[in-house]
Amino acid sequence: MAYWRQWRRPRTKVRSLMRLGVHVQAAVACGITSKGPWRSAKTPGINQALSLDYLKSEGLYSLRDGWIALHHPK
């Protein structure tokens, strides 16, 4: 959601999705939607571009992994 809000304009959203490997048709469909960022986050194009692997490579911490490590130590 934060990336989606950061990109702001539909043109920027489409360009950024295409840069991250989403096909043109899916990028345009996701980029020009009038839905909010939380509802848009469930679309396949955005899930492909902003996958968990990509977000981890950007240095973001997974709250799920942290919770599991805290509550279920090995």
Side-chain angles (χ1 to χ4, degrees), residues 3-4 7-32 45 49-50 54:
Y3 280 100
W4 202 244
W7 292 337
R8 292 188 180 204
R9 298 180 183 202
R11 182 180 299 160
T12 308
K13 292 175 185 178
V14 171
R15 270 195 235 130
S16 299
L17 288 172
M18 287 176 21
R19 192 175 304 126
L20 291 172
V22 178
H23 294 291
V24 176
Q25 187 176 7
V28 171
C30 293
I32 64 171
L50 301 175
Y54 173 76

